[in-house]
Coordinates of all heavy atoms in Angstrom, one line a residue:
M1 N 137.8 92.4 -25.4 CA 138.8 93.3 -25.8 C 138.1 94.5 -26.5 O 137.2 94.3 -27.3 CB 139.7 92.6 -26.8 CG 140.9 93.5 -27.3 SD 142.2 92.7 -28.1 CE 141.5 92.0 -29.5
E2 N 138.4 95.7 -26.0 CA 137.8 96.9 -26.6 C 139.0 97.8 -27.0 O 140.0 97.9 -26.5 CB 137.0 97.6 -25.5 CG 135.8 96.8 -25.0 CD 135.1 97.6 -23.9 OE1 135.2 98.8 -23.9 OE2 134.4 96.9 -23.2
K3 N 138.7 98.5 -28.1 CA 139.7 99.5 -28.7 C 139.1 100.9 -28.5 O 138.0 101.2 -28.9 CB 139.9 99.2 -30.1 CG 141.1 100.0 -30.7 CD 141.4 99.5 -32.1 CE 142.6 100.3 -32.6 NZ 143.1 99.8 -33.9
H4 N 139.9 101.7 -27.8 CA 139.6 103.1 -27.6 C 140.7 104.0 -28.2 O 141.8 104.2 -27.6 CB 139.5 103.5 -26.1 CG 138.4 102.7 -25.4 ND1 137.1 103.0 -25.5 CD2 138.5 101.6 -24.6 CE1 136.4 102.1 -24.8 NE2 137.3 101.3 -24.2
G5 N 140.5 104.4 -29.5 CA 141.6 105.1 -30.2 C 142.8 104.2 -30.4 O 142.7 103.2 -31.1
D6 N 143.9 104.6 -29.9 CA 145.1 103.8 -30.0 C 145.3 102.8 -28.9 O 146.2 102.0 -29.0 CB 146.4 104.7 -30.1 CG 146.5 105.5 -31.4 OD1 145.8 105.1 -32.4 OD2 147.1 106.6 -31.4
E7 N 144.5 102.9 -27.9 CA 144.6 102.0 -26.7 C 143.7 100.8 -26.9 O 142.6 100.9 -27.4 CB 144.3 102.8 -25.5 CG 145.2 103.9 -25.1 CD 144.8 104.6 -23.8 OE1 143.9 104.1 -23.1 OE2 145.4 105.7 -23.6
I8 N 144.2 99.7 -26.4 CA 143.4 98.4 -26.4 C 143.2 98.0 -25.0 O 144.2 97.8 -24.3 CB 144.0 97.3 -27.3 CG1 144.2 97.8 -28.7 CG2 143.3 96.0 -27.2 CD1 144.9 96.8 -29.6
E9 N 141.9 97.8 -24.6 CA 141.7 97.3 -23.2 C 141.3 95.8 -23.3 O 140.5 95.4 -24.1 CB 140.4 98.0 -22.7 CG 140.7 99.2 -21.9 CD 139.5 99.8 -21.2 OE1 138.7 99.0 -20.6 OE2 139.3 101.0 -21.3
V10 N 142.0 95.0 -22.4 CA 141.7 93.6 -22.4 C 141.4 93.3 -20.9 O 141.8 93.9 -20.0 CB 142.9 92.7 -22.8 CG1 143.2 92.9 -24.3 CG2 144.2 93.1 -22.0
T11 N 140.5 92.2 -20.8 CA 140.2 91.8 -19.4 C 141.3 91.0 -18.8 O 142.3 90.6 -19.5 CB 138.9 90.9 -19.5 OG1 139.3 89.7 -20.2 CG2 137.7 91.6 -20.1
E12 N 141.2 90.8 -17.5 CA 142.3 90.1 -16.8 C 142.4 88.7 -17.3 O 143.5 88.1 -17.5 CB 142.0 90.0 -15.3 CG 143.1 89.4 -14.5 CD 142.8 89.5 -13.0 OE1 142.0 90.4 -12.6 OE2 143.3 88.7 -12.3
R13 N 141.3 88.0 -17.7 CA 141.3 86.7 -18.2 C 142.0 86.6 -19.6 O 142.7 85.7 -19.9 CB 139.9 86.1 -18.3 CG 139.8 84.7 -18.9 CD 138.4 84.2 -19.0 NE 138.5 82.8 -18.5 CZ 137.9 82.3 -17.5 NH1 137.1 83.1 -16.8 NH2 138.0 81.1 -17.1
E14 N 141.7 87.6 -20.4 CA 142.3 87.6 -21.7 C 143.8 87.9 -21.6 O 144.6 87.3 -22.4 CB 141.7 88.7 -22.6 CG 140.3 88.4 -23.0 CD 139.6 89.6 -23.7 OE1 140.0 90.8 -23.4 OE2 138.7 89.4 -24.5
A15 N 144.2 88.7 -20.7 CA 145.6 89.0 -20.5 C 146.4 87.8 -20.0 O 147.6 87.6 -20.3 CB 145.8 90.2 -19.6
S16 N 145.8 87.1 -19.1 CA 146.5 86.0 -18.4 C 146.5 84.7 -19.3 O 147.4 83.9 -19.1 CB 145.9 85.6 -17.1 OG 144.6 85.1 -17.2
N17 N 145.6 84.6 -20.2 CA 145.5 83.5 -21.1 C 145.4 82.1 -20.4 O 146.0 81.2 -20.8 CB 146.7 83.5 -22.1 CG 146.4 82.6 -23.3 OD1 145.3 82.3 -23.6 ND2 147.5 82.2 -24.0
K18 N 144.7 82.1 -19.3 CA 144.5 80.9 -18.5 C 143.4 80.0 -19.1 O 142.4 80.5 -19.6 CB 144.2 81.2 -17.1 CG 145.3 81.8 -16.3 CD 144.8 82.0 -14.8 CE 145.9 82.7 -14.0 NZ 145.5 82.9 -12.7
P19 N 143.6 78.7 -19.1 CA 142.5 77.8 -19.6 C 141.3 77.9 -18.6 O 141.4 78.2 -17.5 CB 143.1 76.4 -19.5 CG 144.3 76.5 -18.7 CD 144.8 78.0 -18.7
R20 N 140.1 77.7 -19.2 CA 138.9 77.8 -18.4 C 138.7 76.7 -17.4 O 138.1 76.9 -16.3 CB 137.7 77.9 -19.3 CG 137.7 79.1 -20.2 CD 136.5 79.2 -21.0 NE 136.5 80.4 -21.8 CZ 135.5 80.8 -22.5 NH1 134.4 80.1 -22.5 NH2 135.6 81.9 -23.2
R21 N 139.2 75.5 -17.6 CA 139.0 74.4 -16.7 C 140.4 73.7 -16.4 O 140.7 72.6 -16.9 CB 138.1 73.4 -17.4 CG 136.7 74.0 -17.6 CD 135.8 73.0 -18.3 NE 134.6 73.7 -18.6 CZ 133.4 73.3 -18.3 NH1 133.3 72.2 -17.5 NH2 132.3 74.0 -18.6
P22 N 141.2 74.3 -15.5 CA 142.5 73.7 -15.2 C 142.4 72.4 -14.4 O 143.3 71.7 -14.3 CB 143.2 74.8 -14.4 CG 142.1 75.6 -13.8 CD 141.0 75.5 -14.8
H23 N 141.2 72.1 -13.8 CA 141.1 70.9 -13.0 C 141.1 69.7 -13.8 O 141.3 68.6 -13.3 CB 139.8 71.0 -12.1 CG 138.6 71.0 -12.9 ND1 138.0 72.2 -13.3 CD2 137.7 70.0 -13.2 CE1 136.9 71.9 -14.0 NE2 136.7 70.6 -13.9
N24 N 140.8 69.8 -15.1 CA 140.9 68.6 -16.0 C 142.3 68.0 -16.0 O 142.4 66.8 -16.1 CB 140.5 69.0 -17.4 CG 139.0 69.3 -17.5 OD1 138.2 68.9 -16.6 ND2 138.6 69.9 -18.6
V25 N 143.3 68.8 -15.9 CA 144.7 68.3 -15.9 C 144.9 67.4 -14.7 O 145.5 66.3 -14.7 CB 145.7 69.4 -16.0 CG1 147.1 68.9 -15.8 CG2 145.5 70.2 -17.3
R26 N 144.4 67.9 -13.5 CA 144.5 67.1 -12.3 C 143.8 65.8 -12.4 O 144.3 64.8 -11.9 CB 144.0 67.9 -11.1 CG 144.9 69.0 -10.7 CD 144.4 69.8 -9.5 NE 143.9 71.0 -10.0 CZ 143.1 71.8 -9.3 NH1 142.6 71.5 -8.2 NH2 142.7 73.0 -9.9
I27 N 142.6 65.8 -13.0 CA 141.9 64.5 -13.1 C 142.6 63.5 -14.0 O 142.8 62.4 -13.6 CB 140.5 64.8 -13.7 CG1 139.7 65.6 -12.6 CG2 139.8 63.5 -14.0 CD1 138.3 66.1 -13.2
V28 N 143.2 64.0 -15.1 CA 143.9 63.1 -16.0 C 145.2 62.6 -15.3 O 145.5 61.4 -15.4 CB 144.3 63.9 -17.3 CG1 145.3 63.1 -18.1 CG2 143.1 64.2 -18.1
L29 N 145.9 63.4 -14.5 CA 147.1 63.0 -13.8 C 146.7 62.0 -12.7 O 147.4 61.0 -12.6 CB 147.8 64.2 -13.2 CG 148.5 65.1 -14.2 CD1 149.1 66.3 -13.5 CD2 149.6 64.3 -14.9
A30 N 145.6 62.2 -12.0 CA 145.2 61.3 -11.0 C 144.8 59.9 -11.5 O 145.2 58.9 -11.0 CB 144.0 61.9 -10.2
V31 N 144.1 59.9 -12.6 CA 143.7 58.6 -13.3 C 144.9 57.9 -13.8 O 145.0 56.7 -13.7 CB 142.6 58.9 -14.4 CG1 142.4 57.7 -15.2 CG2 141.3 59.4 -13.7
S32 N 145.8 58.6 -14.4 CA 147.0 58.0 -15.0 C 147.9 57.4 -13.9 O 148.4 56.3 -14.0 CB 147.8 59.1 -15.7 OG 147.1 59.6 -16.8
L33 N 148.0 58.1 -12.7 CA 148.8 57.6 -11.6 C 148.1 56.3 -11.1 O 148.8 55.3 -10.8 CB 148.9 58.7 -10.5 CG 149.6 58.2 -9.3 CD1 151.1 57.9 -9.6 CD2 149.6 59.3 -8.2
L34 N 146.8 56.3 -10.9 CA 146.1 55.2 -10.4 C 146.3 54.0 -11.3 O 146.5 52.9 -10.9 CB 144.6 55.5 -10.2 CG 143.8 54.4 -9.6 CD1 144.3 54.1 -8.2 CD2 142.3 54.8 -9.5
L35 N 146.1 54.2 -12.6 CA 146.3 53.2 -13.6 C 147.7 52.6 -13.6 O 147.9 51.4 -13.7 CB 145.9 53.7 -15.0 CG 145.9 52.7 -16.1 CD1 144.9 51.6 -15.9 CD2 145.6 53.4 -17.5
A36 N 148.7 53.5 -13.5 CA 150.1 53.0 -13.4 C 150.3 52.1 -12.2 O 151.0 51.1 -12.3 CB 151.0 54.2 -13.5
I37 N 149.8 52.5 -11.1 CA 149.9 51.7 -9.8 C 149.3 50.4 -10.0 O 149.9 49.3 -9.6 CB 149.3 52.5 -8.6 CG1 150.2 53.7 -8.3 CG2 149.2 51.6 -7.4 CD1 149.6 54.6 -7.3
V38 N 148.1 50.3 -10.6 CA 147.4 49.0 -10.8 C 148.2 48.1 -11.7 O 148.4 47.0 -11.4 CB 146.0 49.3 -11.3 CG1 145.3 48.0 -11.8 CG2 145.1 49.9 -10.2
V39 N 148.6 48.7 -12.8 CA 149.4 47.9 -13.8 C 150.7 47.3 -13.2 O 151.0 46.2 -13.4 CB 149.6 48.7 -15.1 CG1 150.6 48.0 -16.0 CG2 148.3 48.9 -15.8
L40 N 151.4 48.2 -12.6 CA 152.7 47.8 -12.0 C 152.5 46.8 -10.9 O 153.3 45.8 -10.7 CB 153.5 49.0 -11.5 CG 154.1 49.9 -12.6 CD1 154.7 51.1 -12.0 CD2 155.0 49.1 -13.5
S41 N 151.4 46.9 -10.1 CA 151.1 45.9 -9.1 C 150.8 44.6 -9.7 O 151.2 43.5 -9.2 CB 149.9 46.4 -8.2 OG 150.3 47.6 -7.5
L42 N 150.0 44.6 -10.8 CA 149.7 43.3 -11.4 C 150.9 42.6 -12.0 O 151.1 41.4 -11.9 CB 148.6 43.5 -12.5 CG 147.2 43.8 -12.0 CD1 146.3 44.2 -13.2 CD2 146.7 42.7 -11.2
V43 N 151.8 43.4 -12.6 CA 153.1 42.9 -13.2 C 153.9 42.3 -12.1 O 154.6 41.3 -12.3 CB 153.8 44.0 -13.9 CG1 155.3 43.6 -14.2 CG2 153.1 44.4 -15.2
W44 N 153.8 42.8 -10.9 CA 154.6 42.3 -9.8 C 153.9 41.1 -9.1 O 154.5 40.1 -8.7 CB 154.9 43.4 -8.7 CG 155.5 43.0 -7.5 CD1 156.7 42.4 -7.3 CD2 155.0 43.1 -6.2 NE1 157.0 42.1 -6.0 CE2 156.0 42.6 -5.3 CE3 153.8 43.6 -5.7 CZ2 155.8 42.5 -3.9 CZ3 153.6 43.6 -4.3 CH2 154.6 43.0 -3.4
I45 N 152.6 41.2 -8.9 CA 151.8 40.2 -8.1 C 151.6 38.9 -8.9 O 151.8 37.8 -8.4 CB 150.5 40.7 -7.7 CG1 150.7 41.8 -6.6 CG2 149.6 39.7 -7.1 CD1 149.5 42.6 -6.3
I46 N 151.3 38.9 -10.2 CA 151.0 37.7 -11.0 C 152.2 36.8 -11.0 O 152.0 35.6 -10.8 CB 150.4 38.1 -12.3 CG1 149.0 38.7 -12.2 CG2 150.4 36.9 -13.3 CD1 148.4 39.3 -13.4
P47 N 153.4 37.2 -11.3 CA 154.5 36.3 -11.3 C 154.8 35.8 -9.9 O 155.3 34.6 -9.8 CB 155.7 37.1 -11.9 CG 155.1 38.2 -12.6 CD 153.8 38.5 -11.9
A48 N 154.6 36.5 -8.9 CA 154.9 36.1 -7.5 C 153.9 35.0 -7.1 O 154.3 34.2 -6.2 CB 154.8 37.3 -6.6
M49 N 152.8 34.9 -7.7 CA 151.8 33.8 -7.3 C 152.2 32.5 -7.9 O 151.7 31.5 -7.3 CB 150.4 34.2 -7.8 CG 149.8 35.4 -7.1 SD 148.3 36.0 -7.8 CE 147.2 34.5 -7.6
S50 N 152.9 32.4 -8.9 CA 153.3 31.1 -9.5 C 154.6 30.6 -9.1 O 155.3 31.2 -8.3 CB 153.2 31.2 -11.0 OG 153.9 32.3 -11.5

């Protein structure tokens, strides 16, 4: 961010306020989904075996 008199210049990244690593959210969602599938499968399979 630079100030020139009354004007303030900001970069595109500063203006958009995007996180630097958005792929982390995808990884967390993928791991959570996989974990949920495994847990629900175990909840269904273990009682069916007995």
